[in-house]
PDB file of all heavy atoms in Angstrom:
ATOM      1  N   PRO A   1     -27.606 -50.352  72.865  1.00 93.00           N
ATOM      2  CA  PRO A   1     -26.957 -50.852  74.115  1.00 93.00           C
ATOM      3  C   PRO A   1     -28.059 -51.497  74.990  1.00 93.00           C
ATOM      4  O   PRO A   1     -27.753 -52.627  75.500  1.00 93.00           O
ATOM      5  CB  PRO A   1     -26.477 -49.567  74.763  1.00 93.00           C
ATOM      6  CG  PRO A   1     -26.133 -48.678  73.676  1.00 93.00           C
ATOM      7  CD  PRO A   1     -27.206 -48.843  72.657  1.00 93.00           C
ATOM      8  N   LEU A   2     -29.190 -50.961  75.161  1.00 94.00           N
ATOM      9  CA  LEU A   2     -30.215 -51.624  75.971  1.00 94.00           C
ATOM     10  C   LEU A   2     -30.838 -52.848  75.347  1.00 94.00           C
ATOM     11  O   LEU A   2     -31.241 -53.717  76.107  1.00 94.00           O
ATOM     12  CB  LEU A   2     -31.289 -50.627  76.432  1.00 94.00           C
ATOM     13  CG  LEU A   2     -30.854 -49.615  77.506  1.00 94.00           C
ATOM     14  CD1 LEU A   2     -32.032 -48.736  77.880  1.00 94.00           C
ATOM     15  CD2 LEU A   2     -30.391 -50.371  78.830  1.00 94.00           C
ATOM     16  N   ARG A   3     -30.939 -52.871  74.000  1.00 95.00           N
ATOM     17  CA  ARG A   3     -31.477 -53.963  73.388  1.00 95.00           C
ATOM     18  C   ARG A   3     -30.437 -55.153  73.626  1.00 95.00           C
ATOM     19  O   ARG A   3     -30.948 -56.305  73.917  1.00 95.00           O
ATOM     20  CB  ARG A   3     -31.633 -53.808  71.905  1.00 95.00           C
ATOM     21  CG  ARG A   3     -32.795 -52.963  71.580  1.00 95.00           C
ATOM     22  CD  ARG A   3     -33.088 -52.944  70.056  1.00 95.00           C
ATOM     23  NE  ARG A   3     -33.455 -54.292  69.592  1.00 95.00           N
ATOM     24  CZ  ARG A   3     -33.585 -54.652  68.270  1.00 95.00           C
ATOM     25  NH1 ARG A   3     -33.231 -53.740  67.337  1.00 95.00           N
ATOM     26  NH2 ARG A   3     -33.982 -55.853  67.916  1.00 95.00           N
ATOM     27  N   LYS A   4     -29.188 -54.936  73.417  1.00 95.00           N
ATOM     28  CA  LYS A   4     -28.187 -55.953  73.678  1.00 95.00           C
ATOM     29  C   LYS A   4     -28.239 -56.386  75.128  1.00 95.00           C
ATOM     30  O   LYS A   4     -28.050 -57.552  75.468  1.00 95.00           O
ATOM     31  CB  LYS A   4     -26.850 -55.472  73.266  1.00 95.00           C
ATOM     32  CG  LYS A   4     -26.613 -55.344  71.781  1.00 95.00           C
ATOM     33  CD  LYS A   4     -25.194 -54.874  71.461  1.00 95.00           C
ATOM     34  CE  LYS A   4     -25.069 -54.749  69.937  1.00 95.00           C
ATOM     35  NZ  LYS A   4     -23.668 -54.325  69.582  1.00 95.00           N
ATOM     36  N   SER A   5     -28.392 -55.439  76.087  1.00 94.00           N
ATOM     37  CA  SER A   5     -28.373 -55.730  77.425  1.00 94.00           C
ATOM     38  C   SER A   5     -29.568 -56.690  77.815  1.00 94.00           C
ATOM     39  O   SER A   5     -29.401 -57.719  78.405  1.00 94.00           O
ATOM     40  CB  SER A   5     -28.561 -54.539  78.263  1.00 94.00           C
ATOM     41  OG  SER A   5     -28.784 -54.785  79.631  1.00 94.00           O
ATOM     42  N   ALA A   6     -30.812 -56.369  77.259  1.00 95.00           N
ATOM     43  CA  ALA A   6     -31.982 -57.111  77.530  1.00 95.00           C
ATOM     44  C   ALA A   6     -31.852 -58.458  76.902  1.00 95.00           C
ATOM     45  O   ALA A   6     -32.332 -59.482  77.379  1.00 95.00           O
ATOM     46  CB  ALA A   6     -33.157 -56.407  77.128  1.00 95.00           C
ATOM     47  N   ALA A   7     -31.363 -58.561  75.575  1.00 95.00           N
ATOM     48  CA  ALA A   7     -31.274 -59.719  74.901  1.00 95.00           C
ATOM     49  C   ALA A   7     -30.341 -60.741  75.585  1.00 95.00           C
ATOM     50  O   ALA A   7     -30.677 -62.019  75.791  1.00 95.00           O
ATOM     51  CB  ALA A   7     -30.747 -59.529  73.532  1.00 95.00           C
ATOM     52  N   ALA A   8     -29.246 -60.222  76.224  1.00 95.00           N
ATOM     53  CA  ALA A   8     -28.346 -61.057  77.040  1.00 95.00           C
ATOM     54  C   ALA A   8     -29.098 -61.540  78.246  1.00 95.00           C
ATOM     55  O   ALA A   8     -28.948 -62.742  78.546  1.00 95.00           O
ATOM     56  CB  ALA A   8     -27.128 -60.286  77.370  1.00 95.00           C
ATOM     57  N   ALA A   9     -29.804 -60.801  78.904  1.00 94.00           N
ATOM     58  CA  ALA A   9     -30.563 -61.124  80.046  1.00 94.00           C
ATOM     59  C   ALA A   9     -31.623 -62.172  79.766  1.00 94.00           C
ATOM     60  O   ALA A   9     -31.746 -63.246  80.437  1.00 94.00           O
ATOM     61  CB  ALA A   9     -31.264 -60.015  80.643  1.00 94.00           C
ATOM     62  N   ARG A  10     -32.272 -62.041  78.657  1.00 95.00           N
ATOM     63  CA  ARG A  10     -33.275 -63.025  78.219  1.00 95.00           C
ATOM     64  C   ARG A  10     -32.561 -64.361  77.889  1.00 95.00           C
ATOM     65  O   ARG A  10     -33.006 -65.410  78.285  1.00 95.00           O
ATOM     66  CB  ARG A  10     -33.966 -62.595  76.922  1.00 95.00           C
ATOM     67  CG  ARG A  10     -35.079 -63.510  76.506  1.00 95.00           C
ATOM     68  CD  ARG A  10     -35.726 -63.066  75.134  1.00 95.00           C
ATOM     69  NE  ARG A  10     -34.706 -63.089  74.032  1.00 95.00           N
ATOM     70  CZ  ARG A  10     -34.473 -62.119  73.205  1.00 95.00           C
ATOM     71  NH1 ARG A  10     -35.014 -60.910  73.382  1.00 95.00           N
ATOM     72  NH2 ARG A  10     -33.544 -62.272  72.226  1.00 95.00           N
ATOM     73  N   ALA A  11     -31.494 -64.303  77.249  1.00 96.00           N
ATOM     74  CA  ALA A  11     -30.768 -65.509  76.909  1.00 96.00           C
ATOM     75  C   ALA A  11     -30.310 -66.313  78.108  1.00 96.00           C
ATOM     76  O   ALA A  11     -30.286 -67.607  78.244  1.00 96.00           O
ATOM     77  CB  ALA A  11     -29.515 -65.205  76.092  1.00 96.00           C
ATOM     78  N   MET A  12     -29.808 -65.562  79.142  1.00 94.00           N
ATOM     79  CA  MET A  12     -29.452 -66.208  80.401  1.00 94.00           C
ATOM     80  C   MET A  12     -30.580 -66.789  81.141  1.00 94.00           C
ATOM     81  O   MET A  12     -30.431 -67.915  81.709  1.00 94.00           O
ATOM     82  CB  MET A  12     -28.739 -65.180  81.285  1.00 94.00           C
ATOM     83  CG  MET A  12     -27.301 -64.780  80.836  1.00 94.00           C
ATOM     84  SD  MET A  12     -26.531 -63.557  81.908  1.00 94.00           S
ATOM     85  CE  MET A  12     -27.013 -62.076  81.234  1.00 94.00           C
ATOM     86  N   LEU A  13     -31.721 -66.153  81.078  1.00 95.00           N
ATOM     87  CA  LEU A  13     -32.904 -66.757  81.799  1.00 95.00           C
ATOM     88  C   LEU A  13     -33.382 -67.984  81.092  1.00 95.00           C
ATOM     89  O   LEU A  13     -33.677 -68.913  81.718  1.00 95.00           O
ATOM     90  CB  LEU A  13     -34.024 -65.625  81.914  1.00 95.00           C
ATOM     91  CG  LEU A  13     -33.727 -64.485  82.731  1.00 95.00           C
ATOM     92  CD1 LEU A  13     -34.614 -63.317  82.441  1.00 95.00           C
ATOM     93  CD2 LEU A  13     -33.966 -64.834  84.210  1.00 95.00           C
ATOM     94  N   VAL A  14     -33.404 -67.979  79.792  1.00 97.00           N
ATOM     95  CA  VAL A  14     -33.720 -69.046  78.949  1.00 97.00           C
ATOM     96  C   VAL A  14     -32.803 -70.311  79.258  1.00 97.00           C
ATOM     97  O   VAL A  14     -33.244 -71.451  79.534  1.00 97.00           O
ATOM     98  CB  VAL A  14     -33.695 -68.774  77.434  1.00 97.00           C
ATOM     99  CG1 VAL A  14     -33.866 -70.087  76.613  1.00 97.00           C
ATOM    100  CG2 VAL A  14     -34.970 -67.832  77.188  1.00 97.00           C
ATOM    101  N   GLN A  15     -31.475 -70.028  79.248  1.00 96.00           N
ATOM    102  CA  GLN A  15     -30.515 -70.992  79.484  1.00 96.00           C
ATOM    103  C   GLN A  15     -30.658 -71.600  80.931  1.00 96.00           C
ATOM    104  O   GLN A  15     -30.474 -72.772  81.156  1.00 96.00           O
ATOM    105  CB  GLN A  15     -29.059 -70.439  79.323  1.00 96.00           C
ATOM    106  CG  GLN A  15     -27.979 -71.424  79.567  1.00 96.00           C
ATOM    107  CD  GLN A  15     -27.985 -72.438  78.535  1.00 96.00           C
ATOM    108  OE1 GLN A  15     -28.198 -72.256  77.375  1.00 96.00           O
ATOM    109  NE2 GLN A  15     -27.620 -73.709  78.940  1.00 96.00           N
ATOM    110  N   ALA A  16     -30.961 -70.771  81.875  1.00 95.00           N
ATOM    111  CA  ALA A  16     -31.141 -71.210  83.282  1.00 95.00           C
ATOM    112  C   ALA A  16     -32.329 -72.079  83.293  1.00 95.00           C
ATOM    113  O   ALA A  16     -32.285 -73.180  83.982  1.00 95.00           O
ATOM    114  CB  ALA A  16     -31.505 -69.893  84.182  1.00 95.00           C
ATOM    115  N   ALA A  17     -33.455 -71.815  82.568  1.00 97.00           N
ATOM    116  CA  ALA A  17     -34.575 -72.657  82.693  1.00 97.00           C
ATOM    117  C   ALA A  17     -34.253 -74.018  81.979  1.00 97.00           C
ATOM    118  O   ALA A  17     -34.627 -75.156  82.445  1.00 97.00           O
ATOM    119  CB  ALA A  17     -35.754 -72.088  81.980  1.00 97.00           C
ATOM    120  N   ALA A  18     -33.657 -73.943  80.846  1.00 97.00           N
ATOM    121  CA  ALA A  18     -33.282 -75.172  80.099  1.00 97.00           C
ATOM    122  C   ALA A  18     -32.384 -76.121  80.942  1.00 97.00           C
ATOM    123  O   ALA A  18     -32.566 -77.305  80.848  1.00 97.00           O
ATOM    124  CB  ALA A  18     -32.660 -74.749  78.779  1.00 97.00           C
ATOM    125  N   LYS A  19     -31.478 -75.535  81.729  1.00 96.00           N
ATOM    126  CA  LYS A  19     -30.500 -76.259  82.471  1.00 96.00           C
ATOM    127  C   LYS A  19     -31.328 -76.957  83.583  1.00 96.00           C
ATOM    128  O   LYS A  19     -31.159 -78.141  83.980  1.00 96.00           O
ATOM    129  CB  LYS A  19     -29.455 -75.407  83.015  1.00 96.00           C
ATOM    130  CG  LYS A  19     -28.347 -76.165  83.658  1.00 96.00           C
ATOM    131  CD  LYS A  19     -27.205 -75.160  84.069  1.00 96.00           C
ATOM    132  CE  LYS A  19     -26.022 -75.888  84.706  1.00 96.00           C
ATOM    133  NZ  LYS A  19     -24.954 -74.926  85.068  1.00 96.00           N
ATOM    134  N   ARG A  20     -32.341 -76.224  84.213  1.00 96.00           N
ATOM    135  CA  ARG A  20     -33.067 -76.851  85.234  1.00 96.00           C
ATOM    136  C   ARG A  20     -33.922 -78.062  84.621  1.00 96.00           C
ATOM    137  O   ARG A  20     -34.064 -79.061  85.380  1.00 96.00           O
ATOM    138  CB  ARG A  20     -33.984 -75.846  85.905  1.00 96.00           C
ATOM    139  CG  ARG A  20     -34.735 -76.419  87.093  1.00 96.00           C
ATOM    140  CD  ARG A  20     -35.682 -75.394  87.690  1.00 96.00           C
ATOM    141  NE  ARG A  20     -35.046 -74.212  88.225  1.00 96.00           N
ATOM    142  CZ  ARG A  20     -35.692 -73.335  88.985  1.00 96.00           C
ATOM    143  NH1 ARG A  20     -37.023 -73.451  89.178  1.00 96.00           N
ATOM    144  NH2 ARG A  20     -35.038 -72.251  89.522  1.00 96.00           N
ATOM    145  N   TRP A  21     -34.486 -77.837  83.468  1.00 97.00           N
ATOM    146  CA  TRP A  21     -35.402 -78.813  82.920  1.00 97.00           C
ATOM    147  C   TRP A  21     -34.571 -79.958  82.188  1.00 97.00           C
ATOM    148  O   TRP A  21     -35.016 -80.996  81.780  1.00 97.00           O
ATOM    149  CB  TRP A  21     -36.287 -78.182  81.923  1.00 97.00           C
ATOM    150  CG  TRP A  21     -37.276 -77.355  82.545  1.00 97.00           C
ATOM    151  CD1 TRP A  21     -37.879 -77.560  83.803  1.00 97.00           C
ATOM    152  CD2 TRP A  21     -37.918 -76.168  81.912  1.00 97.00           C
ATOM    153  NE1 TRP A  21     -38.729 -76.444  84.002  1.00 97.00           N
ATOM    154  CE2 TRP A  21     -38.812 -75.700  83.002  1.00 97.00           C
ATOM    155  CE3 TRP A  21     -37.759 -75.526  80.768  1.00 97.00           C
ATOM    156  CZ2 TRP A  21     -39.569 -74.520  82.765  1.00 97.00           C
ATOM    157  CZ3 TRP A  21     -38.511 -74.363  80.516  1.00 97.00           C
ATOM    158  CH2 TRP A  21     -39.324 -73.870  81.428  1.00 97.00           C
ATOM    159  N   LYS A  22     -33.182 -79.717  82.072  1.00 97.00           N
ATOM    160  CA  LYS A  22     -32.365 -80.650  81.330  1.00 97.00           C
ATOM    161  C   LYS A  22     -32.809 -80.828  79.927  1.00 97.00           C
ATOM    162  O   LYS A  22     -32.956 -81.971  79.374  1.00 97.00           O
ATOM    163  CB  LYS A  22     -32.181 -82.064  82.116  1.00 97.00           C
ATOM    164  CG  LYS A  22     -31.627 -81.903  83.453  1.00 97.00           C
ATOM    165  CD  LYS A  22     -31.565 -83.360  84.090  1.00 97.00           C
ATOM    166  CE  LYS A  22     -30.744 -83.178  85.366  1.00 97.00           C
ATOM    167  NZ  LYS A  22     -31.320 -82.243  86.425  1.00 97.00           N
ATOM    168  N   VAL A  23     -33.062 -79.657  79.298  1.00 97.00           N
ATOM    169  CA  VAL A  23     -33.422 -79.773  77.864  1.00 97.00           C
ATOM    170  C   VAL A  23     -32.571 -78.817  77.057  1.00 97.00           C
ATOM    171  O   VAL A  23     -31.803 -77.933  77.708  1.00 97.00           O
ATOM    172  CB  VAL A  23     -34.935 -79.323  77.667  1.00 97.00           C
ATOM    173  CG1 VAL A  23     -35.873 -80.263  78.398  1.00 97.00           C
ATOM    174  CG2 VAL A  23     -35.141 -77.906  78.047  1.00 97.00           C
ATOM    175  N   ASP A  24     -32.569 -78.798  75.775  1.00 97.00           N
ATOM    176  CA  ASP A  24     -31.731 -77.895  74.961  1.00 97.00           C
ATOM    177  C   ASP A  24     -32.467 -76.509  75.001  1.00 97.00           C
ATOM    178  O   ASP A  24     -33.576 -76.385  74.834  1.00 97.00           O
ATOM    179  CB  ASP A  24     -31.709 -78.314  73.524  1.00 97.00           C
ATOM    180  CG  ASP A  24     -30.729 -77.647  72.711  1.00 97.00           C
ATOM    181  OD1 ASP A  24     -30.952 -76.375  72.330  1.00 97.00           O
ATOM    182  OD2 ASP A  24     -29.610 -78.246  72.426  1.00 97.00           O
ATOM    183  N   ALA A  25     -31.608 -75.433  75.177  1.00 96.00           N
ATOM    184  CA  ALA A  25     -32.089 -74.159  75.292  1.00 96.00           C
ATOM    185  C   ALA A  25     -32.910 -73.686  73.920  1.00 96.00           C
ATOM    186  O   ALA A  25     -33.853 -72.823  74.038  1.00 96.00           O
ATOM    187  CB  ALA A  25     -31.003 -73.156  75.479  1.00 96.00           C
ATOM    188  N   SER A  26     -32.555 -74.252  72.784  1.00 96.00           N
ATOM    189  CA  SER A  26     -33.238 -73.839  71.596  1.00 96.00           C
ATOM    190  C   SER A  26     -34.678 -74.403  71.604  1.00 96.00           C
ATOM    191  O   SER A  26     -35.477 -73.818  70.734  1.00 96.00           O
ATOM    192  CB  SER A  26     -32.476 -74.472  70.355  1.00 96.00           C
ATOM    193  OG  SER A  26     -32.479 -75.919  70.463  1.00 96.00           O
ATOM    194  N   THR A  27     -35.042 -75.238  72.440  1.00 97.00           N
ATOM    195  CA  THR A  27     -36.453 -75.676  72.546  1.00 97.00           C
ATOM    196  C   THR A  27     -37.260 -74.920  73.517  1.00 97.00           C
ATOM    197  O   THR A  27     -38.379 -75.164  73.657  1.00 97.00           O
ATOM    198  CB  THR A  27     -36.527 -77.153  72.932  1.00 97.00           C
ATOM    199  OG1 THR A  27     -35.994 -77.349  74.263  1.00 97.00           O
ATOM    200  CG2 THR A  27     -35.651 -78.048  71.965  1.00 97.00           C
ATOM    201  N   CYS A  28     -36.657 -73.805  74.066  1.00 98.00           N
ATOM    202  CA  CYS A  28     -37.359 -72.967  75.026  1.00 98.00           C
ATOM    203  C   CYS A  28     -37.546 -71.604  74.467  1.00 98.00           C
ATOM    204  O   CYS A  28     -36.802 -71.143  73.632  1.00 98.00           O
ATOM    205  CB  CYS A  28     -36.616 -72.828  76.285  1.00 98.00           C
ATOM    206  SG  CYS A  28     -36.194 -74.355  77.214  1.00 98.00           S
ATOM    207  N   THR A  29     -38.593 -70.942  74.880  1.00 97.00           N
ATOM    208  CA  THR A  29     -38.950 -69.620  74.416  1.00 97.00           C
ATOM    209  C   THR A  29     -39.244 -68.748  75.586  1.00 97.00           C
ATOM    210  O   THR A  29     -39.568 -69.240  76.634  1.00 97.00           O
ATOM    211  CB  THR A  29     -40.146 -69.673  73.474  1.00 97.00           C
ATOM    212  OG1 THR A  29     -41.335 -70.251  74.177  1.00 97.00           O
ATOM    213  CG2 THR A  29     -39.834 -70.473  72.173  1.00 97.00           C
ATOM    214  N   ALA A  30     -39.181 -67.450  75.428  1.00 97.00           N
ATOM    215  CA  ALA A  30     -39.465 -66.429  76.486  1.00 97.00           C
ATOM    216  C   ALA A  30     -40.668 -65.560  75.967  1.00 97.00           C
ATOM    217  O   ALA A  30     -40.617 -65.035  74.847  1.00 97.00           O
ATOM    218  CB  ALA A  30     -38.204 -65.669  76.771  1.00 97.00           C
ATOM    219  N   ALA A  31     -41.531 -65.259  76.893  1.00 97.00           N
ATOM    220  CA  ALA A  31     -42.609 -64.279  76.584  1.00 97.00           C
ATOM    221  C   ALA A  31     -43.376 -63.980  77.887  1.00 97.00           C
ATOM    222  O   ALA A  31     -43.394 -64.787  78.772  1.00 97.00           O
ATOM    223  CB  ALA A  31     -43.597 -64.923  75.688  1.00 97.00           C
ATOM    224  N   ASP A  32     -43.680 -62.622  78.025  1.00 97.00           N
ATOM    225  CA  ASP A  32     -44.446 -62.185  79.170  1.00 97.00           C
ATOM    226  C   ASP A  32     -43.838 -62.536  80.591  1.00 97.00           C
ATOM    227  O   ASP A  32     -44.494 -63.184  81.434  1.00 97.00           O
ATOM    228  CB  ASP A  32     -45.918 -62.764  79.158  1.00 97.00           C
ATOM    229  CG  ASP A  32     -46.702 -62.105  78.017  1.00 97.00           C
ATOM    230  OD1 ASP A  32     -46.427 -60.974  77.533  1.00 97.00           O
ATOM    231  OD2 ASP A  32     -47.580 -62.915  77.501  1.00 97.00           O
ATOM    232  N   SER A  33     -42.596 -62.390  80.587  1.00 95.00           N
ATOM    233  CA  SER A  33     -41.762 -62.640  81.828  1.00 95.00           C
ATOM    234  C   SER A  33     -41.660 -64.080  82.255  1.00 95.00           C
ATOM    235  O   SER A  33     -41.610 -64.428  83.380  1.00 95.00           O
ATOM    236  CB  SER A  33     -42.305 -61.755  82.891  1.00 95.00           C
ATOM    237  OG  SER A  33     -42.034 -60.363  82.779  1.00 95.00           O
ATOM    238  N   GLU A  34     -41.896 -64.942  81.338  1.00 97.00           N
ATOM    239  CA  GLU A  34     -41.863 -66.444  81.504  1.00 97.00           C
ATOM    240  C   GLU A  34     -41.003 -67.086  80.477  1.00 97.00           C
ATOM    241  O   GLU A  34     -40.863 -66.603  79.355  1.00 97.00           O
ATOM    242  CB  GLU A  34     -43.162 -67.089  81.587  1.00 97.00           C
ATOM    243  CG  GLU A  34     -44.029 -66.607  82.733  1.00 97.00           C
ATOM    244  CD  GLU A  34     -45.404 -67.385  82.653  1.00 97.00           C
ATOM    245  OE1 GLU A  34     -45.795 -67.658  81.474  1.00 97.00           O
ATOM    246  OE2 GLU A  34     -45.999 -67.666  83.725  1.00 97.00           O
ATOM    247  N   VAL A  35     -40.355 -68.137  80.849  1.00 97.00           N
ATOM    248  CA  VAL A  35     -39.646 -69.101  79.969  1.00 97.00           C
ATOM    249  C   VAL A  35     -40.432 -70.363  79.956  1.00 97.00           C
ATOM    250  O   VAL A  35     -40.924 -70.916  80.830  1.00 97.00           O
ATOM    251  CB  VAL A  35     -38.217 -69.420  80.357  1.00 97.00           C
ATOM    252  CG1 VAL A  35     -37.587 -70.389  79.435  1.00 97.00           C
ATOM    253  CG2 VAL A  35     -37.368 -68.165  80.562  1.00 97.00           C
ATOM    254  N   ALA A  36     -40.759 -70.812  78.681  1.00 98.00           N
ATOM    255  CA  ALA A  36     -41.636 -71.982  78.401  1.00 98.00           C
ATOM    256  C   ALA A  36     -40.917 -72.971  77.629  1.00 98.00           C
ATOM    257  O   ALA A  36     -40.069 -72.745  76.723  1.00 98.00           O
ATOM    258  CB  ALA A  36     -42.962 -71.544  77.721  1.00 98.00           C
ATOM    259  N   HIS A  37     -41.283 -74.257  77.916  1.00 98.00           N
ATOM    260  CA  HIS A  37     -40.812 -75.475  77.228  1.00 98.00           C
ATOM    261  C   HIS A  37     -42.091 -76.101  76.649  1.00 98.00           C
ATOM    262  O   HIS A  37     -42.716 -77.012  77.302  1.00 98.00           O
ATOM    263  CB  HIS A  37     -39.963 -76.381  78.030  1.00 98.00           C
ATOM    264  CG  HIS A  37     -39.365 -77.541  77.311  1.00 98.00           C
ATOM    265  ND1 HIS A  37     -39.710 -78.815  77.483  1.00 98.00           N
ATOM    266  CD2 HIS A  37     -38.455 -77.553  76.246  1.00 98.00           C
ATOM    267  CE1 HIS A  37     -39.024 -79.695  76.674  1.00 98.00           C
ATOM    268  NE2 HIS A  37     -38.274 -78.871  75.961  1.00 98.00           N
ATOM    269  N   ALA A  38     -42.398 -75.815  75.325  1.00 96.00           N
ATOM    270  CA  ALA A  38     -43.597 -76.299  74.832  1.00 96.00           C
ATOM    271  C   ALA A  38     -43.813 -77.827  74.761  1.00 96.00           C
ATOM    272  O   ALA A  38     -44.848 -78.455  75.077  1.00 96.00           O
ATOM    273  CB  ALA A  38     -43.793 -75.724  73.443  1.00 96.00           C
ATOM    274  N   PRO A  39     -42.727 -78.638  74.422  1.00 96.00           N
ATOM    275  CA  PRO A  39     -42.849 -80.055  74.340  1.00 96.00           C
ATOM    276  C   PRO A  39     -43.225 -80.687  75.615  1.00 96.00           C
ATOM    277  O   PRO A  39     -43.947 -81.716  75.566  1.00 96.00           O
ATOM    278  CB  PRO A  39     -41.380 -80.426  74.004  1.00 96.00           C
ATOM    279  CG  PRO A  39     -40.800 -79.278  73.167  1.00 96.00           C
ATOM    280  CD  PRO A  39     -41.375 -78.078  73.861  1.00 96.00           C
ATOM    281  N   SER A  40     -42.823 -80.158  76.782  1.00 97.00           N
ATOM    282  CA  SER A  40     -43.259 -80.720  78.061  1.00 97.00           C
ATOM    283  C   SER A  40     -44.261 -79.851  78.764  1.00 97.00           C
ATOM    284  O   SER A  40     -44.607 -80.186  79.871  1.00 97.00           O
ATOM    285  CB  SER A  40     -42.033 -80.851  78.954  1.00 97.00           C
ATOM    286  OG  SER A  40     -41.445 -79.590  79.228  1.00 97.00           O
ATOM    287  N   ASN A  41     -44.739 -78.755  78.089  1.00 97.00           N
ATOM    288  CA  ASN A  41     -45.791 -77.822  78.740  1.00 97.00           C
ATOM    289  C   ASN A  41     -45.276 -77.338  80.077  1.00 97.00           C
ATOM    290  O   ASN A  41     -46.128 -77.318  81.017  1.00 97.00           O
ATOM    291  CB  ASN A  41     -47.088 -78.589  78.783  1.00 97.00           C
ATOM    292  CG  ASN A  41     -48.233 -77.618  78.947  1.00 97.00           C
ATOM    293  OD1 ASN A  41     -48.214 -76.531  78.479  1.00 97.00           O
ATOM    294  ND2 ASN A  41     -49.215 -78.074  79.677  1.00 97.00           N
TER     295      ASN A  41
END
C-alpha cells in the first residue's frame, strides 16, 4: 500500500514538473526529492 502511495505521489510530481517545462514526462526522472530533465539540465 505505501509503495503504491509513494509511487503515485512521485508520478504526480514528475508530471507537474514536465507540465511546467512543457516536456514529455517520460523524459523526466526523480531522485533525492527532485525532478530532473536531463536534456535541458
